[in-house]
Amino acid sequence: MKKVEPISGLTTGGTKIELSGAWFDYKLEYGVMPMCKIGDKITRGVFISTVRIVCHAPPNENTFLAMPIKVSLNGVDWVDTGFKFSYYI
């Protein structure tokens, strides 16, 4: 993963997170759907291209920890992006 923007958002959630630089194999006919996991919360993503997806940050009340951002194309196998997301009020 080359870029994740932004790396922080409101505790209420909904921040649009763009992840780019990886090769995302877009095969909707096989049920491939991008997903993001921030900490232990999962959100469904959207393919923008084979090298870019967008997810929205889930709500989280914890403003003290930067949580790892992981991605999956099947909801089972997760890859750590190497980036962390933190929340603010």
Side-chain angles (χ1 to χ4, degrees):
M1 193 70 52
K2 290 187 179 190
K3 187 163 126 185
V4 174
E5 289 187 325
I7 56 169
S8 63
L10 292 170
T11 56
T12 54
T15 301
K16 180 177 159 183
I17 303 170
E18 294 189 23
L19 303 100
S20 60
W23 182 258
F24 300 112
D25 197 10
Y26 177 64
K27 293 192 176 176
L28 189 58
E29 66 272 19
Y30 298 118
V32 173
M33 180 65 64
M35 296 181 181
C36 294
K37 185 188 284 190
I38 299 176
D40 62 353
K41 296 185 178 182
I42 298 171
T43 62
R44 181 167 278 181
V46 175
F47 282 105
I48 302 301
S49 73
T50 56
V51 294
R52 200 164 134 225
I53 62 171
V54 170
C55 291
H56 289 86
N60 192 316
E61 307 229 349
N62 191 340
T63 58
F64 299 106
L65 293 173
M67 291 173 252
I69 302 170
K70 297 180 180 181
V71 293
S72 174
L73 296 180
N74 61 13
V76 176
D77 303 307
W78 294 92
V79 175
D80 192 331
T81 64
F83 291 87
K84 294 187 183 244
F85 191 84
S86 55
Y87 289 88
Y88 56 85
I89 297 173

